């Protein structure tokens, strides 16, 4: 029975009830050792009725063994693996040692899918105890899953000791019992009338020990003192009472100071064991397998019979094929009270009896100093963890291997590898520390120095100062480093650096990457470059990595082939989702989300940006976080969601400005300007656009200035500043001189029409013909609607309402479908003034879908199955089916075929160079 846990039990019941209702969630129980977290988990597991229960427990000696906890959790349901989408299935099989796979995001999605299958038909409770000791690979997968349970019938309960971080999950602090509950506990165990035996109610918890205490009474004053001195910790209360004399319990003798509780108590109990029993306890503390413990005992010359001494002392029990300590603190006490030499002896014995990763761990535990054999074994173990997606555990093993490596140069190499794995495991702080240590040991090796410099530059680009990344990477002597430098310079907005890097790259042999870098630099320098970019695009069919497709997309965009550029971005996104995506998907999604937004597909853009934001935070890519926040700010601006726009922009700028990521700082500033423009605050918008043009590298970006010029001209005209509008048009004409795509010419025509109409004065009755030209050229529906709105406004004011209504109606319907409310209201107001009531667009039903539902509907229309959609979106197939179940009644349909007929995805091509 549990005492004083009404609040905690209510929280657990709520999580279970929500899971049964199809609204899965997770809860963290946080508290000190002995406070009763495990008892609460046990209670929760018993309160789910017919719900399946899967359990795993973090064990300190196994905290560096990749996927140890996940293997324990999923072992009962591995038979369900065949129900998963293939990429997820192979990732989970790899984690469980059944195949080779190295993708942490696919693995995490696979764990979610597998648990969703295990939840059929009655729901599932996942119990994870001692989460602070769960290996990093398992912890990453479990946390990823726990944050995505929204539509699953899964309750995930984690218990963690102390302040161990568990990001993004609700928690309940499990504190000590209050006076009343603690007194009730003690009364139940040791009644004042000397009746029931002490601890009889907790016999299973305490292993039956302490029965000789039966009949001893605890006075009221002693109870009060014990509660105060132990902080109401149930374990401390029970263990302390067991060690007190009858006189102390009755209050006739003073209580000892300090109390014999917690680790001190267990240390005393361990010390009371015989030497052979202490040695066997040590072996059990580092390896719980019974057969292994007994064979190690034989090797160490310790009798197997001493195991009974541990059981008689109430410290450990034999459960099946394992030796289990009554409480994790006992294990800690055993290890901490043993001399280092004895620990090494035990590890050495176990190393002779194990193989693979366990052997490597024990060899390291037995090592007295640098030893290349041991270091190499650890490094091999790290590579096995890496190949299965356990990057965090690989980093830990490599760091330990480096400590044991005699050669400084080899040590530096292993530290470098540890840094890479820490980075891929989403731990940038650890990665940077390991990299700094590697530089200290690199010595005079130029090749290693360049590798370390490139890694440092990449770390800076993804999570630090982008301008510093340019400085570091420009010193490189390889084409790969120069490519990274060009990428960094493009994020900063340093055109001069991009041009110079292109010149440097020209010294390398011809090839795809070299041609793109040199070609872009030459074009920005006004020195041609078209032939190089065309030659690079001729090799697209030979490309295989997401990053290569992004470079190809950049080449296409500089050639003015926006449709091909957008297609290549989409290919990069698909490839990054399905394979070889480690570290790349959050970055690729920056461009995919931006393309969707510029095309006017705001809901899709929001969903992709939110996914990218979540993945970027998981990966520790701070600057990519800023990119997705900035894009979300622009989406909110176009929708007229002022508070959300300002919040997203503020958060993006808080990263982008100090990190000198000019592209993202400029995009956030652009969002605030578009917010003002959409709400008709022309003077404020004009002021913001002017500030954008004045921002230098690191605070703004030339691409932002160029791409926002049509908006800037509209704001200047609305604010009554024709001179600025005319100057901006002249600059835009120069920038667009080599643009050959219809959309680029359409925007230029619109700008010319705006300036011409403004210059004609209020008496003009004929809107400039350039508006009609722009409408003929537009390939982007959203931008076409903006042009139609501007033309319709001027036609109405020229007393030509019939012609105005046609353009205003089309603009209104497009804005409504896109969810661009300020623009729709403006078109609706003009339409009414022209003599017509605005009608809802024919496809308005699609507006009822959430961003995630809209993405799933689009993929269904593309012919993908639920499993294929799940693989692309990192969902479980059952979650996809759940969304479809909600989509059908919203749209008044009942089949995938009907859904595909409703969804028309007319994708306007958007070039990456245009992506703000």
């Amino acid at each position: 029975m549990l005492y004083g846990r009404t609040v905690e039990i209510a929280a657990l019941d709520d999580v279970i009830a929500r899971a049964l209702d199809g609204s899965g969630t997770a809860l963290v129980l946080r508290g000190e050792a002995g406070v009763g977290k495990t008892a609460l988990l046990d209670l929760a597991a018993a309160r789910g009725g017919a719900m399946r229960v899967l359990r795993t427990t973090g064990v300190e000696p196994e905290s560096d063994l990749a996927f140890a906890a996940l293997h324990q959790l999923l072992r009962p349901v591995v038979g369900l693996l065949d129900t998963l989408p293939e990429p997820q299935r192979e990732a989970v099989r790899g984690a469980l040692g059944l195949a080779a796979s190295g993708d942490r995001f696919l693995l995490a999605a696979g764990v979610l899918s597998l648990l969703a299958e295990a939840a059929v038909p009655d729901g599932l409770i996942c119990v994870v105890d001692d989460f602070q000791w769960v290996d990093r690979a398992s912890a990453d997968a479990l946390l990823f899953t726990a944050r995505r349970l929204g539509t699953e019938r899964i309750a995930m309960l984690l218990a963690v000791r102390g302040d161990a971080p568990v990001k993004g999950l609700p928690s309940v602090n499990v504190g000590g019992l209050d006076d009343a509950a603690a007194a009730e506990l003690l009364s139940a165990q040791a009644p004042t009338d000397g009746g029931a035996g002490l601890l009889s109610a907790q016999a299973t918890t305490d292993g039956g020990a302490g029965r000789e205490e039966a009949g001893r009474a605890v006075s009221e004053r002693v109870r009060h003192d014990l509660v105060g001195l132990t902080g109401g910790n149930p374990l401390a209360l029970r263990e302390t009472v067991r060690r007190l004399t009858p006189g102390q319990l009755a209050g006739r003798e003073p209580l000892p100071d300090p109390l014999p509780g917690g680790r001190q108590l267990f240390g005393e109990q361990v010390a009371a064991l015989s030497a052979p029993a202490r040695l066997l306890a040590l072996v059990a503390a580092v390896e719980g397998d019974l057969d292994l413990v007994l064979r190690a005992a034989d090797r160490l010359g310790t009798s197997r019979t001493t195991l009974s001494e541990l059981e008689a002392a109430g410290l450990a029990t034999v459960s099946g094929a394992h030796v289990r300590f009554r409480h994790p603190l006992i294990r800690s006490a055993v290890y901490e009270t043993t001399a280092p030499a004895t620990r090494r002896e035990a590890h050495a014995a176990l190393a002779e009896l194990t193989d693979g990763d366990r052997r490597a761990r024990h060899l390291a535990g037995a090592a007295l100093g640098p030893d290349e054999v041991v270091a190499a074994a650890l490094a091999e173990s790290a590579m096995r963890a890496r190949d299965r997606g356990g990057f965090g555990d690989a980093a830990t093993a490599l760091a330990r291997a480096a400590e044991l490596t005699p050669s400084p140069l080899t040590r530096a190499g292993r530290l470098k590898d540890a840094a890479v794995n820490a980075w891929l495991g989403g731990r940038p702080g650890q990665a940077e520390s390991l990299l700094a240590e590697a530089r200290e040991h690199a010595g005079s090796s130029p090749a290693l120095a360049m590798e370390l410099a490139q890694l440092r530059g990449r770390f800076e680009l993804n999570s630090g100062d982008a301008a510093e990344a340019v400085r570091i990477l420009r010193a490189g002597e390889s084409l790969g480093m120069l490519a990274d430098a060009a990428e960094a310079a493009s994020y900063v907005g340093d055109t001069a650096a991009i041009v110079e890097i292109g010149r440097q790259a020209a010294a390398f042999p011809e090839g795809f990457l070299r041609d793109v870098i040199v070609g872009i630099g030459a074009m920005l320098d006004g020195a041609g470059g078209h032939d190089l970019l065309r030659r690079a695009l001729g090799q697209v069919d030979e490309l295989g990595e997401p990053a290569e497709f992004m470079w190809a997309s950049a080449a296409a965009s500089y050639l003015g082939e926006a449709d091909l550029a957008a297609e290549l971005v989409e290919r990069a996104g698909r490839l990054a989702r399905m394979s070889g995506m480690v570290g790349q998907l959050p970055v690729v999604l920056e461009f995919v989300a931006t393309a969707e937004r510029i095309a006017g597909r705001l809901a899709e853009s929001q969903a992709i940006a939110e996914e990218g934001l979540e993945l970027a935070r998981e990966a520790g890519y701070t600057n990519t976080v800023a990119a997705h926040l900035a894009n979300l700010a622009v989406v909110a601006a176009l929708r007229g969601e002022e508070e959300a726009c300002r919040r997203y922009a503020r958060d993006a700028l808080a990263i982008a400005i100090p990190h000198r990521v000019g592209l993202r700082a400029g995009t956030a500033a652009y969002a605030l300007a578009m917010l003002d423009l959409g709400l008709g605050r022309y003077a404020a918008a004009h002021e913001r656009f002017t500030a954008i043009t004045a921002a230098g590298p690191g605070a703004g970006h030339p691409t932002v200035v160029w791409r926002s010029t049509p908006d800037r001209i509209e704001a200047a005209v609305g604010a009554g500043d024709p001179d600025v509008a005319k100057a901006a048009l002249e600059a835009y004409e120069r920038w667009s001189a080599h643009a050959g795509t219809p959309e680029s010419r359409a925007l230029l025509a619109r700008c010319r029409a705006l300036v011409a109409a403004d210059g004609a004065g209020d008496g003009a009755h004929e809107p400039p013909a350039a508006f009609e030209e722009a409408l003929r050229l537009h390939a982007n529906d959203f931008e076409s609607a903006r042009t139609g709105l501007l033309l319709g406004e001027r036609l109405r004011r020229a007393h030509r309402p019939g012609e105005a209504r046609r353009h205003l109606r089309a603009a209104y319907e497009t804005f409504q479908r896109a969810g661009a409310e300020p623009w729709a209201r403006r078109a609706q107001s003009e339409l009414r003034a022209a003599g017509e009531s605005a009608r809802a667009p024919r496809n308005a039903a699609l507006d009822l879908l959430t961003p995630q539902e809209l993405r799933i509907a689009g993929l269904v229309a593309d012919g993908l199955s639920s499993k294929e959609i799940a693989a692309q979106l990192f969902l479980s197939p059952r979650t996809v089916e759940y969304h479809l179940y909600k989509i059908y009644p919203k749209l008044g349909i009942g089949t995938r075929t009907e859904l595909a007929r409703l969804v028309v995805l007319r994708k306007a091509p958007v070039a990456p160079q245009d992506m703000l």
Side-chain angles (χ1 to χ4, degrees):
M1 180 175 180
L2 296 178
Y3 300 95
R5 296 302 185 199
T6 305
V7 173
E8 293 88 343
I9 292 172
L12 293 169
D13 285 344
D14 178 63
V15 170
I16 293 171
R18 290 171 63 185
L20 287 171
D21 224 14
S23 300
T25 188
L27 183 68
V28 178
L29 300 179
R30 185 180 293 279
E32 64 180 0
V35 81
K37 303 184 296 297
T38 300
L40 285 166
L41 292 179
D42 291 342
L43 180 68
R47 290 172 81 90
M51 296 178 77
R52 172 181 258 163
V53 178
L54 296 177
R55 301 191 68 133
T56 189
T57 300
V59 181
E60 192 171 12
E62 296 182 353
S63 59
D64 292 334
L65 291 178
F67 301 113
L70 201 61
H71 195 281
Q72 181 185 4
L73 181 77
L74 300 182
R75 187 186 307 141
V77 294
V78 292
L80 299 174
L81 278 172
D82 287 341
T83 63
L84 272 58
E86 183 178 358
Q88 295 180 7
R89 179 174 68 245
E90 293 309 303
V92 177
R93 284 170 55 83
L96 300 180
L98 304 175
S101 177
D103 191 291
R104 57 190 283 256
F105 289 138
L106 279 177
L107 164 64
V111 171
L112 173 61
S113 294
L114 186 58
L115 294 180
E117 293 297 328
V120 177
D122 299 312
L124 173 69
I125 300 176
C126 285
V127 176
V128 185
D129 203 358
D130 282 327
F131 186 78
Q132 73 279 357
W133 287 329
V134 168
D135 61 276
R136 290 183 175 182
S138 296
D140 287 344
L142 290 171
L143 290 178
F144 183 101
T145 300
R147 289 190 280 265
R148 291 163 175 82
L149 295 176
T151 62
E152 311 294 353
R153 302 187 71 205
I154 301 173
M156 184 172 288
L157 308 173
L158 300 89
V160 62
R161 183 185 302 179
D163 298 325
V166 185
K167 296 180 181 178
L169 298 183
S171 64
V172 170
N173 288 320
V174 183
L177 302 178
D178 59 25
D179 286 354
E184 191 177 3
L185 170 66
L186 291 177
S187 294
Q189 294 183 20
T192 54
D193 61 4
L198 183 68
L199 304 180
S200 60
Q202 303 290 325
T204 56
T205 301
D206 293 334
R211 291 189 174 88
E212 72 280 0
E213 311 287 349
R216 300 184 306 168
V218 182
S219 73
E220 183 176 349
R221 179 176 61 81
V222 171
R223 281 196 200 117
H224 179 76
D225 290 346
L226 289 176
V227 170
L229 291 169
T230 61
N233 183 296
L235 176 66
L237 283 169
R238 290 195 301 266
E239 297 295 335
T240 298
V241 168
R242 292 178 62 202
R243 301 289 293 177
L244 297 179
T245 66
Q248 290 169 331
L249 289 171
R252 295 189 299 271
E253 300 172 9
L255 294 174
D257 185 16
L259 288 178
R263 292 198 178 204
Q264 178 186 350
L265 169 61
F266 290 136
E268 292 174 358
Q269 289 181 280
V270 171
L273 295 171
S274 66
R278 286 198 303 273
L279 184 56
L280 187 124
L282 173 64
V283 175
V286 293
E287 280 288 358
D289 179 83
L290 176 61
D291 178 65
L292 192 55
V293 168
L294 295 178
R295 286 193 292 134
D298 293 340
R299 192 170 290 270
L300 291 167
T302 298
S303 172
R304 297 186 175 201
T305 60
T306 55
L307 184 58
S308 61
E309 185 178 345
L310 294 182
E311 294 181 295
L315 296 175
T317 59
V318 174
S319 176
H322 297 276
V323 180
R324 304 191 187 280
F325 288 95
R326 179 161 54 86
H327 194 278
L329 286 179
I330 299 176
R331 181 193 301 274
S332 300
V334 168
Y335 200 80
E336 292 171 7
T337 58
T338 303
T342 307
R343 292 182 207 164
R344 290 193 295 272
E345 183 183 359
H347 279 296
L350 288 166
E352 295 177 5
L353 298 171
T354 53
D355 56 18
D357 298 338
R358 290 184 180 276
R359 176 176 178 272
R361 179 167 63 90
H362 289 306
L363 284 174
L368 192 57
D371 186 321
E372 178 55 29
V373 172
V374 177
L378 273 176
E380 290 173 6
S381 175
M383 294 305 99
R384 287 191 291 271
R386 178 205 63 191
D387 291 343
R388 295 160 61 197
F391 299 106
D393 298 292
T396 300
L398 282 164
R400 176 60 174 147
E403 291 178 7
L404 296 172
T405 301
S407 164
L409 195 59
T410 306
R411 179 182 302 177
R414 284 171 177 157
L415 286 167
K416 177 207 70 176
D417 293 341
V420 171
N421 280 277
W423 183 264
L424 294 176
R427 292 171 172 80
Q430 181 189 16
E432 290 168 5
S433 297
L434 289 166
L435 196 63
E437 189 177 352
R439 292 200 301 271
E440 294 177 7
H441 296 283
S444 58
S445 168
L448 182 57
M450 281 295 102
E451 283 188 74
L452 295 174
Q454 185 170 14
L455 283 174
R456 184 182 169 210
R458 289 301 312 181
F459 292 174
E460 286 288 347
L461 176 57
N462 285 330
S463 291
D465 187 328
E468 177 65 8
V470 176
R471 186 192 67 78
I472 295 168
L473 294 166
R474 284 182 66 176
E477 298 175 357
S478 68
L479 183 61
M481 273 190 83
L482 289 178
D484 287 347
E487 182 183 348
S490 71
Y491 274 96
V492 174
D494 191 340
T495 301
I498 298 173
V499 170
E500 179 56 34
I501 291 165
R503 292 171 181 158
Q504 290 177 259
F508 288 85
E510 294 178 357
F512 169 77
L513 186 58
R514 178 262 188 195
D515 287 352
V516 175
I517 298 169
V518 176
I520 289 175
M523 289 196 68
L524 289 174
D525 197 29
H530 302 79
D531 293 344
L532 290 172
L533 296 181
R534 181 68 59 196
R535 186 168 67 190
L537 286 176
Q539 303 175 54
V540 163
D541 291 340
E542 302 171 15
L543 305 181
E545 294 293 328
E548 292 176 327
F549 280 103
M550 292 303 298
W551 280 111
S553 177
S557 94
Y558 276 97
L559 287 173
E561 298 179 356
D563 51 349
L564 177 58
E567 177 190 333
L568 292 168
V569 165
E570 291 177 2
R571 289 177 68 178
R574 288 195 300 269
L575 185 60
R577 286 184 184 281
M578 302 305 296
S579 63
M581 57 161 265
V582 175
Q584 298 184 57
L585 182 59
V587 178
V588 173
L589 290 182
E590 296 177 24
F591 298 95
V592 178
T594 302
E596 293 290 335
R597 184 253 298 166
I598 292 177
R601 294 186 287 270
L602 304 187
E604 292 92 330
S605 177
Q606 177 187 343
I608 293 169
E610 287 174 347
E611 178 191 11
L613 178 62
E614 195 168 19
L615 292 175
R617 284 173 170 159
E618 296 259 6
Y621 290 3
T622 307
N623 293 342
T624 300
V625 168
H628 289 296
L629 288 169
N631 185 64
L632 287 168
V634 183
V635 170
L638 294 174
R639 286 175 165 166
E641 299 168 352
E642 185 160 4
E643 190 278 330
C645 173
R646 295 188 185 281
R647 182 179 70 253
Y648 284 132
R650 180 187 65 242
D651 292 348
L653 289 167
I655 298 171
I657 292 296
H659 288 198
R660 294 191 282 184
V661 187
L663 180 59
R664 303 316 173 192
T667 304
Y670 171 75
L672 296 172
M674 287 301 293
L675 176 68
D676 287 331
L677 181 62
L679 294 174
R681 300 192 291 241
Y682 294 107
H686 181 35
E687 184 177 343
R688 289 190 184 278
F689 281 121
T690 300
I692 288 173
T693 64
H701 199 282
T703 297
V704 178
V705 175
W706 173 75
R707 182 61 181 84
S708 66
T709 298
D711 308 302
R712 182 188 176 203
I713 290 172
E714 185 176 341
V717 169
D721 194 340
D723 293 338
V724 168
K726 183 178 179 181
L729 173 60
E730 291 172 354
Y732 194 58
E733 288 175 328
R734 292 193 299 272
W735 290 330
S736 303
H738 300 290
T741 63
E743 185 60 33
S744 298
R745 297 200 306 272
L747 290 172
L748 181 58
R750 184 172 83 197
C751 293
R752 287 170 174 162
L754 276 168
V755 173
D758 190 49
D762 294 336
H765 294 288
E766 291 292 331
F771 277 124
E772 293 285 359
E773 179 189 358
L775 287 174
R776 286 194 302 271
L777 291 169
H778 273 302
N780 182 317
D781 287 346
F782 191 80
E783 292 299 335
S784 180
R786 289 185 61 186
T787 300
L789 173 60
L790 291 168
L791 175 57
E793 288 173 332
R794 282 152 180 79
L795 286 170
R796 184 187 67 78
R797 290 165 193 164
H799 308 294
R800 297 160 62 182
E803 295 176 65
R805 285 195 293 269
R806 176 169 59 91
H807 297 294
L808 294 171
R809 188 184 311 118
Y812 169 70
E813 292 182 354
T814 299
F815 292 142
Q816 276 287 94
R817 283 193 296 269
E821 289 302 322
W823 303 88
R825 286 195 300 270
R826 179 172 152 190
Q828 183 182 47
S829 176
E830 288 289 333
L831 193 56
R832 285 173 177 165
E836 179 180 313
S837 296
R839 294 171 297 179
R842 287 184 298 275
N843 283 345
L846 294 176
D847 295 340
L848 298 173
L849 303 185
T850 67
Q852 185 75 301
E853 289 169 350
L854 197 57
R855 292 184 73 196
I856 290 172
L859 292 171
V860 168
D862 288 342
L864 274 67
S865 68
S866 292
K867 280 190 175 183
E868 290 169 331
I869 295 170
Q872 287 225 8
L873 300 184
F874 301 107
L875 303 172
S876 74
R878 292 188 179 276
T879 297
V880 174
E881 292 294 335
Y882 169 83
H883 283 299
L884 288 173
Y885 178 78
K886 292 179 67 180
I887 288 170
Y888 291 156
K890 284 185 179 182
L891 301 182
I893 59 175
T895 67
R896 286 172 176 257
T897 301
E898 292 175 288
L899 178 58
R901 288 191 186 120
L902 280 177
V903 179
V904 179
L905 298 176
R906 293 174 296 174
K907 296 189 176 181
V910 181
Q913 69 183 32
D914 294 346
M915 295 180 188
L916 300 188

